[in-house]
Amino acid sequence: MFAVHLTLLDVSAAPAVEAGPADVQGALWARAVPGDGLEHVRARALPGGVGVVLYVRAPDREAAELRAYALLRRALAEGPARRFTVAAPP
C-alpha cells in the first residue's frame, strides 16, 4: 500500500466552508471502484483548499499514483467536490 499526497485548491468564487474535506472524502468513496485499490482517505482543511492522502493498494508507487489521480479526476468531476482542482497535476 502506498500513500499518495495531494493538495487541492478551491477554485470557486464561493466563500470557504468547513465541509470541504468532507465533500472531497465523500466524493472519493462514492466514485471508488475495486480496481482503484483505495484503502483509506485522509482529508483536512488547508488555507485555500484541502490536503488529501489516499492510501492505495498497488504493485508500485507509479501504479498507486496513476490510480489515485484517475479516482480523483472522477471524484472532482461533479457534485460539491467539483469546486476543487489538483494544485500540481501529474
Side-chain angles (χ1 to χ4, degrees), residues 22-64:
D23 290 341
V24 171
Q25 199 163 348
L28 286 163
W29 283 118
R31 305 300 185 297
V33 297
D36 293 324
L38 186 63
E39 292 283 332
H40 189 68
V41 177
R42 293 270 185 190
R44 66 181 180 98
L46 298 175
V50 174
V52 180
V53 182
L54 285 80
Y55 295 87
V56 179
R57 195 177 53 252
D60 56 44
R61 175 156 296 285
E62 182 180 358

